Structure formats: C-alpha cells, structure tokens
Amino acid sequence: MGRYVIRRLLQMIPVFIGATLLIFLMVNVMGDPVAGLCGDRKCDPATAAQLKKEFGLDKPVWQQYLTYMGNVFTGDFGTAFNGQKVTELMSAAFPVTIRLTIVAIVFEIVIGISLGVLTGLRRGRPVDTVVLLLTLVVISIPTFVTGLVLQLLLGVQWGVIKPSVSSEAPFNELLIPGLVLASVSLAYVTRLTRTSIAENRRADYVRTAVAKGLPRRRVITRHLLRNSLIPVVTFIGTDVGALMGGAIVTERIFNIHGVGFQLYQGILRQSTQTVVGFVTVLVLVFLVANLIVDLLYAVLDPRIRYA
Amino acid sequence: MRGATHAKWAACAVTVALAATACGGGGSGGGGGDGSGIVSSSWGDPQNPLEPANTNEVQGGKILDMVFRGLKRYDPKTGEAKDMIAESIDTKDAQNFTVKIKDNWKFSNGEKITAKSFVDAWNYGANLKNNQKNAYFFGYIEGYDKVHPEKGDPSAQTLSGLKVVDDKTFTVKLSQKFSTWPDTLGYPAFAPLPKAFYDDHQGWLSKPVGNGPYTVDSYTKGSKMSLRKWDGYPGDDKAQNGGVDMKVYTDNNTAYTDLMAGNLDLVDDVPASQLKNAKNDLGDRYINTPAGIIQTLAFPFYDSKWNKPGKEKVRMGLSRAINREQITETIFQKTRTPASDWTSPVLGEKGGFKEGLCGDACKYDAEQAKKLVEEGGGIPGGTLKVSYNADTGSHKEWVDAVCNSINKALDNDKACVASPIGTFADFRSKASKQELDGAWRAGWQMDYPLIQNFLEPVYFTDAPSNDGKYSDKEFDKLVNEANGETDTNKAIGKFQDAEKILAKDMPAIPLWYQNGSAGYSDKVSDVSLNQFSVPVYNEIKVN
C-alpha cells in the first residue's frame, strides 16, 4: 500500500510537468499580452518594454517556463497584471470554490445516491420511470439555463434567495449555485447508482445475506450499496476536479469570485502567471482526487489489493 | 411504504437548502434622506494597480474620480474644465504656464497639498522606471524625453520643465505650444499624491489615500471596495450620500438581475441583452446619455494597396454603404447615435463638435456607394476584412451587420467579411504592430473633453494611437497651428479645418457615437453619468 502510494506520487511528476508546459505554451501562443493593458490605444514602446521585462516576457518561452517552474517550487506563482501576487488571488479564490464544490459534492452524494438506491430497488416501477425522466431532463438542459432560470425565479420573482453571492460567499448563499453546479453530475450519479444496484441485487452475496435473515436495511447499506459504489466513487472522485475547474459558468451567473472567475479574467487579460498558476493547482487537485479514489476502492472492496 | 420515506427525506433536504439560503439574505446599509445612506454600485475588477498615472480604463477611473481631485475638474454636465485646486493657470505664450493653487486643500490623512504634491506626482508618473501606463500624458512637458526615453534607461529623474516656486506656485514649460493644455489637467493622471504614496507604496495601493470627497474605508481586491464620505473635504462638490459600496460583478447581467431584485442601487453598464427591457423595467430610472466615445472603422495606410490615390473613393464608398441608422436602432437599441464627424456630441458646438461635418460621405446611399467603390478601382483584394476582438463587448453583432449592409449595398456577397480575433490583447497587439490587413474596429474614448483629444492622438503622423499610420502634411500643419493658437475659438476652428481633411481622405469611417447607459433603484435619486459614462457618485442622494 505504501509503495503503491509512492509510485503513484512519482507518476504525478511527469503528468504535472507535461500539463503545465502545455498550458504555458497555449497561453503564450495567444500573442503579446502587454498590448491589451493599455486599452484601445498603443502602449508607448518604452513602457511596454519595461513591463515585458518586469513580467519576464522578453525572454524566450523555454526560459520563461524554466524560471516559472523554478519559482513555483519555491511557492512563488508570480504576479498578475493588476499587481497582485497570484498566491494572493489563489488564497481568495480557492476557499470559495472549494466551498462551492463541497456543496455540489454533498448534493451529488446525498440526493444522487439516495435517488439511485431508490430507483435501483424499484426498477420499472413508476418512481423509477419518473426519476429517470427527470434525470434525462436535467442532463439535457445546459447548466447556464438551469442557473439563470433558478436565479430569475428564486432571486427576482419570489425573492427567496439573493441573485448574487456576496464577496464572502458563505455556505448558505452557495446552496443554490452548488445545486446548479451539481445538477448534471447528480443526474449521472443517480443513473450510475441505479444501474449498479439493480445489477448487484441479484448477486449471490445479496441472496445469501437475505437468506441469513439479515434486516433489509443492513442488506442494502452494508452488502448491496457498498459493493455497488465503486463506479459511483470513481465518478465522484474525478468530478471533484471537473467541478472546481468547470465552475466558470455557475460562478459567472451567481457572481461567485472563485477559481472560475479568476481563470476567466486571466484568460481575457492573457495573464500567463494567473492562468498557469491556477491550472497548475487544478491539475494537482485532479491528480490527488484520482489517487484518493483508487485508494478508496480497497476500503469498499477488500479483495482489491495494491502492490 | 419505505420508498416514500426516502423521497420525503430528499424533499426535506431541498426545502432546508432553500430556507437556509433565504436566511442568508439581509438588508444593506440604511439611512434616511439625511445624506448618510450608502449607495451600492456595480463595479468591474480594475485591470491595473490603482495609481493615478497607471489607470487607463473606466473601472479604475471611477474610483480615482471619487478619491482624487486635481487642478481642474470637468463639469459633469457641460464637460467644461473648471478650476478645482487651481487658483489660476496663466500663460502668455501657450508654452510657459504658471500654476497657482488654492490654500485650503489637504489630503484625507491631514497632509497639506502644496505645489510639491503635484510636481512630485507628475515626476513619478513620467518616470519610465515606475511603469506608469499613462506616462505619455506628461509627454508635453519639457524634459520628458530624458525621464522617459524611447530606448534605454532614463538619464534624468525629474522633468526639467517643472519647477516649484513656492508652496503655492509652480511653473510648467512645455516642449511645444499647446494652448488648451490647462484643460487637459482634469485627467486623473495629473492628480496630486501624498507622501505616503512614496513612503509605503504597497500599503498605499491596498488602501489609496487621496484628496477627493470620499475616502477608502476598506478594499478587498477583486471583489469589493467601500468608500465613505470624507467630512473634512474642502471642495464644494461634497458627497450627498454617506458612501458608496463598489461591488465587483463577474458578469453585468448578474448586476442587472441584482438591481431588479433590489439588492443593488446602481448599474452603470446595462448589458446589451437587457437594453430592450431596460426601458420597461426601469422607466425613468434608465439613463441613456452621450459619452465621449466614437466608434470607427480604421484602414491600414501601411499597406500600399490602401495607400494609393483614388482609394479614398473606395473608403468613402464603403462609408456610404453602411446603414448607420438601421444598425444603431436594431442592434444597439438607440444607445448609439449615427456619427457624422470624428469627435463626439459631448464636446458641444462650442467645444468643436460639428454635426454633419462628414457631409454626404457619412450618409447611406447604396447607389452612390457602388459607384464610388467602382471609381476607386474596387476593394483591394476584392474583399474587405473587418477585424474585431471576439472576447468582450459583443462586437460580433454589429460587425456582421456592417458587413451585411456593405454586401447588400455593393450587391456582392464577398465584399465584406468579419474576421474575429480571440482576445482583446491579441487584437490590440496585432493592430499596434500593423499586422492587420483590411479594416478593423477602432474605438476612441476621450481622455478629456477637447476636440484636440479626438484628432491628434489618432490621426496625427506617427501619433500613439494612429495604428493605421495615416499621414497627411496639411492635417499635421493645421493641428500644430491649432495647438499654438492662444485664442480658444480660433484653435477650435483650426481643428475643425483639420477635421475637414479627414472628411476628404476618410482615413477612418465614423460609425457612431456611443452612449453611456445606466439603471438605478428607487432607493436613490439624482443619478447621472458624466461625459466619460461614469456615474457622478458624489451627487447621488439616498432616499
């Protein structure tokens, strides 16, 4: 187990370097970022040159990349164009997005899995059909539609929530945005759980458990659900990274100043430091989430061993 | 039935979620009509650090307008440059100026404002080492080429044209005659700076200290700034409210939604998609007033195909092929006015705006358009590419409309195509490096309400914003003469003469004048936009 974890951690290094290099190149291909800083007029050449020097943009790309990576390992993610340290931006943005992601994941787990179990046990019954239809609707409607409609109905028409989240972004204000962010994944979790449960319901070990006379609740939670969760956990695990990086739409609609907002701003202003810094952290989140998922397998199914 | 309990449980979770969110709602700062109420306003994240000489876009400019006052201030209604801190600015030759400042001004930290506060701030702004994006504003002052050389390190730290005479007086020597120069001093870049700015620069940036009607109470970069009324403000344009909370929005649609829901008092940028509804939603609380912004289509004079005699006929023909009325009405919901000169209506007749100066060349006439383009030898390359940045400002819609209009008028599907460029930075980079072929969208937002500002930086030979490299000796000569003219009326006349050359050459097709649009809640009154389309915050009253 320990060796497995170490091996996995070592494997992350090339993935990490490759991913950051790709992003670095992509942002650089977009052209000269300093030109956009002066608005609809030309920067005077001397100031532009000076700014380029300050941000290290006057050097060849490979050299920029090496300096950048060197700095990253010492915890220095550089400075964004508005003069703020990227680490400062991160410390403001990540807590917000993490809260949003937690809300979304909790919704996925609680609603998604319970609906999945419910429908999996009652396949073909009206409940199943209704939930299946509902998930189909949710999956087929884009997030920004759900978001805008909920914002309009709950925020403006009925005044149940504030249409925009305040800059502190406490948990209670993030509930609806979290639900919107989770909606599509939630539908998938429901469907995955449903299929998995329905399949395992006829498995030998479930029949044995029932034959032993175990209470129904125990059969479902300890035997059926635990074994059915592996695909679901895999999905939720990878979804953590996807939710954090993909919250741009939701964050924009509900005015959440999280990772999505900073990334969007960074891309618009072609701020290499901001974009690469944030994506670097997101890549790490993705990798760690995947590792945790793999480790969870053994918890769910002791037959799985790591070597 | 067991299933039912599950369903009930899920329903409960959602109900709890909704209820909890509802609890999250709360009131904003109250206050009656006693001038202590707080206004909440939408804001965009400023692109650059908030320093007077480093702020060149509207979002940062809004804050500077609240926190700073300079020698002059543009009257929010007429645009006239009025003395603020300046007691007098005198000159005999349009080149040497003596500035006297008023006695009673101080910064909000108690420091007195002296002639040195200005001279030091200007020297700081001009110095290349400080990377100030507005440094070129000091370019007219003698010695600028020493502190801000085009290449290499500065050979002087201070502008030789600036001299402190005593606490209340300083003199300015310009490197050329520029009679209307004092009128440029309302621009925020010319604001005075307190000692704290140099002593603790980082600290100052995180909480700017100025001399305006408001002080910065708290500033969370990227999300919120709270400004409060400064009771010790010596000026006569004191704040009529207790303060302003600026809230950064990720999207102006959300800001508009918040206004509708009653969570926000002021939106100073109504999103294009809501323009149709704004009048119905807001009634009188929707503002749509002219701002000092003109949109044009610029042409590449660095490309010999466009820089041939006779091609002015093609440009004129293209201009006549654009149905400005229709586009401003259908696409912009009348938040643009068809342009008929190269300035802006906010200048007023007295300031040099002249409706119709462009003449027939700016009037839609498909037949004439076709004739002119043919006479001029057709569009170079057969197709006109119109470049624009696709990331912000919803330019796609109107560029497509302009192209449609041209194609229809010229009866040729391939006469004009839109050519999007991914980001604004890339678009600007291509434009300033003369890498665009065909025409491109060019916008000009004035720095100060002077006709000079609409012409010289954009069309003078090798001027900083002359991306198309247009050059005309006669035009340059007239602009120089106008700048040397001490009589303002005569100077404006000369500028208009120069503008008539643009009408003949059509280096850029004037499209429309842009309006500022804003909406406000019924909790506030006396809301207006100035010529820069920035709300006049200090005049807003909270009911």
Side-chain angles (χ1 to χ4, degrees):
Chain A
M1 172 87 173
R3 282 177 66 187
Y4 174 79
V5 173
I6 290 171
R7 209 175 66 215
R8 283 289 303 265
L9 286 175
L10 286 178
Q11 278 173 359
M12 283 185 189
I13 296 172
V15 177
F16 179 70
I17 293 176
T20 44
L21 180 64
L22 268 180
I23 297 146
F24 209 88
L25 291 177
M26 279 195 262
V27 180
N28 264 282
V29 165
M30 282 156 65
D32 177 12
V34 170
L37 287 181
C38 298
D40 265 322
R41 74 185 74 219
K42 191 174 154 191
C43 284
D44 80 282
T47 310
Q50 181 85 5
L51 284 169
K52 275 188 190 162
K53 209 164 126 196
E54 193 181 287
F55 292 110
L57 294 166
D58 53 341
K59 300 200 183 79
V61 180
W62 62 270
Q63 215 173 324
Q64 285 181 41
Y65 179 69
L66 286 186
T67 334
Y68 180 80
M69 286 313 275
N71 288 339
V72 164
F73 282 110
T74 60
D76 176 12
F77 281 86
T79 313
F81 284 150
N82 64 356
Q84 269 183 289
K85 288 260 169 227
V86 174
T87 42
E88 209 177 294
L89 295 177
M90 284 179 182
S91 62
F94 270 101
V96 175
T97 298
I98 289 172
R99 280 202 288 276
L100 181 64
T101 313
I102 290 175
V103 173
I105 294 281
V106 168
F107 272 123
E108 273 182 35
I109 293 175
V110 174
I111 304 182
I113 296 185
S114 3
L115 282 181
V117 173
L118 182 76
T119 51
L121 292 174
R122 280 158 213 283
R123 217 155 65 137
R125 307 263 189 90
V127 188
D128 182 36
T129 323
V130 169
V131 172
L132 269 186
L133 267 174
L134 275 180
T135 53
L136 190 70
V137 169
V138 171
I139 291 172
S140 53
I141 298 177
T143 323
F144 69 88
V145 177
T146 336
L148 286 172
V149 168
L150 278 183
Q151 184 186 43
L152 193 72
L153 288 181
L154 298 174
V156 182
Q157 299 289 331
W158 303 333
V160 188
I161 60 164
K162 277 206 218 173
S164 73
V165 171
S166 65
S167 52
E168 294 81 22
F171 269 113
N172 56 1
E173 289 184 19
L174 290 175
L175 286 173
I176 293 300
L179 185 64
V180 170
L181 179 62
S183 60
V184 174
S185 303
L186 197 152
Y188 281 121
V189 169
T190 308
R191 293 187 149 214
L192 265 176
T193 318
R194 172 185 174 270
T195 321
S196 199
I197 292 265
E199 218 170 82
N200 288 333
R201 239 180 104 192
R202 285 186 218 94
D204 291 342
Y205 61 85
V206 175
R207 209 166 27 197
T208 313
V210 175
K212 274 201 293 186
L214 288 179
R216 187 177 153 87
R217 179 172 292 270
R218 193 169 164 81
V219 174
I220 291 172
T221 52
R222 299 290 296 187
H223 296 261
L224 180 54
L225 189 56
R226 187 166 159 177
N227 282 289
S228 309
L229 273 184
I230 288 189
V232 180
V233 166
T234 315
F235 178 79
I236 293 179
T238 46
D239 209 36
V240 173
L243 288 179
M244 286 190 85
I248 295 188
V249 175
T250 319
E251 291 193 354
R252 251 184 95 91
I253 294 173
F254 291 99
N255 192 41
I256 300 167
H257 298 249
V259 172
F261 169 62
Q262 293 295 349
L263 262 178
Y264 177 75
Q265 205 79 294
I267 291 170
L268 274 193
R269 291 173 185 174
Q270 269 181 254
S271 176
T272 319
Q273 315 278 349
T274 319
V275 177
V276 182
F278 273 85
V279 176
T280 304
V281 175
L282 284 178
V283 168
L284 281 178
V285 170
F286 225 98
L287 291 174
V288 172
N290 267 314
L291 178 63
I292 293 174
V293 167
D294 284 354
L295 294 176
L296 268 182
Y297 286 166
V299 179
L300 291 170
D301 188 347
R303 286 173 302 178
I304 299 174
R305 294 267 179 277
Y306 300 108
Chain B
M1 204 171 89
R2 267 172 186 274
T5 43
H6 284 279
K8 214 186 276 170
W9 199 86
C12 271
V14 176
T15 323
V16 170
L18 291 179
T21 320
C23 308
S28 55
D34 57 351
S36 68
I38 307 294
V39 182
S40 60
S41 171
S42 70
W43 193 29
D45 193 19
Q47 194 173 12
N48 302 306
L50 277 177
E51 301 166 278
N54 205 12
T55 297
N56 57 359
E57 39 76 56
V58 181
Q59 303 305 338
K62 279 181 203 171
I63 304 300
L64 294 183
D65 190 50
M66 285 189 262
V67 179
F68 278 102
R69 285 292 179 265
L71 289 170
K72 294 231 177 197
R73 181 161 198 257
Y74 302 114
D75 187 292
K77 289 208 173 59
T78 62
E80 190 192 342
K82 287 185 172 159
D83 285 343
M84 201 75 207
I85 306 183
E87 179 77 53
S88 65
I89 303 175
D90 296 322
T91 183
K92 288 192 182 83
D93 56 1
Q95 193 165 4
N96 288 287
F97 294 84
T98 307
V99 182
K100 280 196 164 44
I101 62 175
K102 284 176 190 154
D103 205 26
N104 56 340
W105 281 77
K106 55 185 197 290
F107 291 102
S108 61
N109 62 3
E111 191 185 323
K112 240 182 128 43
I113 296 178
T114 64
K116 205 167 171 295
S117 314
F118 284 97
V119 171
D120 286 352
W122 295 6
N123 279 326
Y124 181 91
N127 197 326
L128 176 59
K129 283 200 173 141
N130 300 322
N131 284 344
Q132 303 286 295
K133 290 172 196 87
N134 286 337
Y136 62 91
F137 275 93
F138 307 100
Y140 290 103
I141 301 172
E142 197 175 69
Y144 179 75
D145 50 340
K146 296 266 177 4
V147 296
H148 199 110
E150 290 210 8
K151 278 201 183 81
D153 290 323
S155 57
Q157 297 304 316
T158 51
L159 292 158
S160 59
L162 290 179
K163 286 208 170 61
V164 177
V165 176
D166 58 49
D167 257 13
K168 298 283 148 231
T169 320
F170 66 101
T171 59
V172 185
K173 186 172 190 229
L174 304 184
S175 49
Q176 64 174 77
K177 283 179 190 259
F178 185 2
S179 58
T180 44
W181 179 78
D183 288 349
T184 68
L185 297 174
Y187 193 78
F190 293 103
L193 286 168
K195 284 201 186 73
F197 177 83
Y198 314 97
D199 295 343
D200 175 16
H201 194 229
Q202 278 310 317
W204 191 90
L205 283 183
S206 55
K207 203 177 169 184
V209 175
N211 61 333
Y214 293 95
T215 57
V216 178
D217 188 50
S218 71
Y219 181 19
T220 318
K221 276 187 189 159
S223 57
K224 197 182 168 189
M225 182 185 259
S226 295
L227 296 129
R228 291 295 171 264
K229 180 182 181 176
W230 175 31
D231 290 323
Y233 177 65
D236 49 14
D237 54 340
K238 284 190 191 356
Q240 302 299 310
N241 47 56
V244 182
D245 280 344
M246 307 292 290
K247 198 174 163 195
V248 173
Y249 278 88
T250 48
D251 187 347
N252 56 1
N253 275 299
T254 314
Y256 189 80
T257 312
D258 248 0
L259 176 71
M260 290 290 100
N263 285 321
L264 191 71
D265 295 330
L266 174 62
V267 169
D268 65 352
D269 178 21
V270 178
S273 52
Q274 300 286 2
L275 286 174
K276 262 187 213 159
N277 316 329
K279 195 94 193 93
N280 275 333
D281 288 348
L282 296 162
D284 288 346
R285 291 179 283 114
Y286 168 61
I287 305 175
N288 180 15
T289 49
I293 306 169
I294 181 169
Q295 302 280 350
T296 59
L297 275 192
F299 289 93
F301 282 81
Y302 47 82
D303 183 345
S304 57
K305 286 190 299 246
W306 280 103
N307 200 0
K308 273 194 294 210
K311 286 300 166 198
E312 72 277 358
K313 284 203 168 159
V314 178
R315 293 190 289 271
M316 227 172 268
L318 289 169
S319 169
R320 300 210 70 175
I322 300 168
N323 194 339
R324 295 171 179 77
E325 258 91 31
Q326 198 184 37
I327 296 172
T328 48
E329 215 162 285
T330 52
I331 290 183
F332 293 120
Q333 306 290 333
K334 294 194 175 167
T335 56
R336 307 281 190 280
T337 312
S340 58
D341 80 339
W342 281 263
T343 65
S344 161
V346 300
L347 294 179
E349 293 276 326
K350 250 176 76 191
F353 166 67
K354 192 163 186 189
E355 202 177 341
L357 186 137
C358 176
D360 285 343
C362 292
K363 286 190 190 123
Y364 177 69
D365 186 334
E367 228 164 90
Q368 284 295 321
K370 213 168 163 182
K371 209 174 117 203
L372 279 164
V373 171
E374 267 164 29
E375 276 174 23
I379 299 167
T383 301
L384 176 74
K385 262 168 79 179
V386 181
S387 301
Y388 65 96
N389 58 305
D391 55 350
T392 46
S394 47
H395 298 301
K396 183 186 185 322
E397 277 191 318
W398 70 257
V399 173
D400 283 346
V402 163
C403 271
N404 272 337
S405 181
I406 291 176
N407 290 346
K408 242 169 87 187
L410 300 184
D411 226 352
N412 172 2
D413 277 352
K414 295 196 182 79
C416 177
V417 290
S419 155
I421 293 174
T423 62
F424 179 67
D426 200 15
F427 171 70
R428 282 305 309 153
S429 154
K430 287 206 164 84
S432 59
K433 285 185 192 147
Q434 280 77 46
E435 283 170 5
L436 296 173
D437 50 347
W440 61 89
R441 75 151 194 102
W444 182 253
Q445 170 147 30
M446 67 177 185
D447 301 311
Y448 28 80
L450 285 182
I451 182 171
Q452 178 268 350
N453 190 242
F454 281 93
L455 302 178
E456 193 174 340
V458 199
Y459 304 109
F460 198 82
T461 303
D462 284 329
S465 290
N466 189 346
D467 292 327
K469 296 278 166 203
Y470 170 73
S471 173
D472 185 273
K473 284 204 185 88
E474 187 63 24
F475 178 85
D476 292 358
K477 200 185 111 207
L478 283 165
V479 167
N480 281 333
E481 279 177 22
N483 279 330
E485 185 63 66
T486 37
D487 183 283
T488 317
N489 284 333
K490 278 187 193 158
I492 286 171
K494 291 260 184 201
F495 275 121
Q496 284 179 334
D497 288 344
E499 212 183 331
K500 278 173 196 146
I501 291 173
L502 300 183
K504 266 192 289 173
D505 267 0
M506 197 59 85
I509 299 176
L511 294 173
W512 32 75
Y513 312 118
Q514 189 168 326
N515 286 5
S517 59
Y520 56 96
S521 73
D522 47 16
K523 275 184 259 165
V524 293
S525 58
D526 287 39
V527 182
S528 60
L529 296 177
N530 66 14
Q531 311 79 26
F532 304 94
S533 73
V534 170
V536 190
Y537 285 103
N538 58 294
E539 286 178 2
I540 298 175
K541 289 196 178 90
V542 181
N543 306 331

